[in-house]
Amino acid sequence: MMEVKSKGQQVSRREEILDKAARLFKQKGYVATTMREIAEQVGMEAASMYNHIRGKEELLEEICARVAETYVNQMNEIESSDLSPIHKLQALIRSHISITTKNIHWISVANNEWRHLPDSSLKSFKKARDTYEDRLAEIIRSGIDCQEVADVHVSITLYTILSSLRWIETWYKPNKSYNARDLEENIVNILMNGLKKSG
Amino acid sequence: MMEVKSKGQQVSRREEILDKAARLFKQKGYVATTMREIAEQVGMEAASMYNHIRGKEELLEEICARVAETYVNQMNEIESSDLSPIHKLQALIRSHISITTKNIHWISVANNEWRHLPDSSLKSFKKARDTYEDRLAEIIRSGIDCQEVADVHVSITLYTILSSLRWIETWYKPNKSYNARDLEENIVNILMNGLKKSG
């Protein structure tokens, strides 16, 4: 569930097109990327690619929809768990980091290129994002109510948490002086120590 | 020093042009903004505006240079103070938030439109940013060495701090359910509680 991309021995041509598109959209931006360039990366003729996909817009729609779905599934699972609010918060931050490091191009495209979605899918993407934020705010609020979380301003805290994770998609490169696990541990510790009620 | 913009009773025409340009660059993006639109906002003819400014590029260069200078001045002041590392870190985070809320359009342009700087000023802008990050990393490192700051990974922490402040320029609107002071207090508390060595 944590993987946005389909994996396994039989990755379909369509999946391969989607993944190469995500890489190019991240690197060059959605607008500047051509179907011809995507085809080159997949190693097929641009014309044959249209057997698998209607066009560039469909690629962006599917990338954004899958990313949104991954976050929502994660939220569903954690929200319905028996964890207390602060442990739900911790699990969400942890999985948010993990989803990002495992799907760095897809997440980057959903975060930065969603404005180019056509109206219909733009609407549902924004709705998914707003609902995710509302549910996260509700977990913070419950944590404050049961005195696990410090008496913080809910919206400021919500945006500070989500924003603090945004650099990962841009700057994180595995195999440097830290791995995905170090990343997760450090950020979770800083945020959770910062949020928990002291005393 | 905390104000990027010049203030006072005699704000020059040039200052007014810069400030209107910053607003338009934030709203529409640097590339999509025309000199005609800036002139309209200032209430002068596009032709007369060229008595004050050579062109759009000069506006972007000056906005980015002033923002960089403001951050560097702040760093100089705090770095040379008698504060201990953790209090330097706290003062920097606090002033970073304050600089952002007081100059929201200017900061947003410097953060998001710097890629459009011409080569010469692009180089010095990136150098200023890298040096700022190096100096901030050094303060975190000193804090760990003297056991005021928890034993965190320096780069992860550096990026997490800077990233956690990035949403302000996009989402913060005064006069909502919180003011600039609430913003500063909440974020400083979360980050500083998260970073300080316990026990």
Side-chain angles (χ1 to χ4, degrees), chain B residues 178-192:
Chain B
Y178 54 92
N179 58 27
R181 181 86 197 155
D182 299 325
L183 189 75
E184 205 175 300
E185 289 311 311
N186 271 273
I187 300 179
V188 167
N189 281 340
I190 294 170
L191 292 177
M192 296 316 298

Side-chain angles (χ1 to χ4, degrees), chain A residues 153 163 167 177-178 186 190 194, chain B residues 153 160 163 167 177-178 186 190 194:
Chain A
H153 187 289
S163 186
W167 67 275
S177 76
Y178 54 92
N186 271 273
I190 293 170
Chain B
H153 187 289
T160 302
S163 185
W167 68 275
S177 75
Y178 54 92
N186 271 273
I190 294 170

Side-chain angles (χ1 to χ4, degrees), chain A residues 8 10 17 24 30 39 64 73 78 83-84 96 107 111 114 133 135 146 164 185 187:
Chain A
Q10 290 212 315
I17 296 167
L24 280 168
Y30 171 73
C64 290
N73 286 343
I78 292 171
L83 297 169
S84 75
H96 201 110
I107 303 298
N111 280 344
W114 60 267
E133 289 179 4
R135 291 167 79 180
C146 73
S164 74
E185 288 312 311
I187 300 179

Side-chain angles (χ1 to χ4, degrees), chain A residues 181-193:
Chain A
R181 181 86 196 156
D182 299 325
L183 188 77
E184 204 175 299
E185 288 312 311
N186 271 273
I187 300 179
V188 167
N189 281 340
I190 293 170
L191 292 177
M192 296 317 297
N193 289 336

Side-chain angles (χ1 to χ4, degrees), chain B residues 55-141:
Chain B
K56 206 169 77 162
E57 201 169 74
E58 186 181 319
L59 291 168
L60 182 64
E61 283 185 291
E62 184 146 346
I63 291 167
C64 290
R66 289 232 216 139
V67 167
E69 197 192 343
T70 305
Y71 281 121
V72 169
N73 287 341
Q74 202 60 47
M75 176 62 87
N76 289 342
E77 194 178 299
I78 291 171
E79 205 178 46
S80 65
S81 73
D82 291 334
L83 297 169
S84 76
I86 202 166
H87 291 105
K88 282 184 180 164
L89 195 53
Q90 178 159 341
L92 271 167
I93 293 169
R94 199 176 278 284
S95 77
H96 201 111
I97 298 168
S98 176
I99 291 170
T100 307
T101 55
K102 283 181 181 144
N103 308 281
I104 213 131
H105 306 94
W106 292 63
I107 303 298
S108 182
V109 172
N111 279 344
N112 300 305
E113 304 290 338
W114 60 268
R115 285 173 193 80
H116 302 293
L117 284 169
D119 278 350
S120 57
S121 43
L122 180 65
K123 209 171 157 186
S124 61
F125 182 80
K126 280 163 119 176
K127 193 170 173 231
R129 188 192 58 186
D130 292 349
T131 307
Y132 182 88
E133 289 179 4
D134 288 345
R135 291 166 79 180
L136 182 49
E138 192 46 44
I139 293 176
I140 298 171
R141 210 171 281 119

Side-chain angles (χ1 to χ4, degrees), chain A residues 4-17:
Chain A
V4 179
K5 295 169 284 192
S6 295
K7 279 204 171 166
Q9 294 189 305
Q10 290 212 315
V11 176
S12 73
R13 269 315 221 183
R14 196 162 186 282
E15 281 303 309
E16 209 187 328
I17 296 167

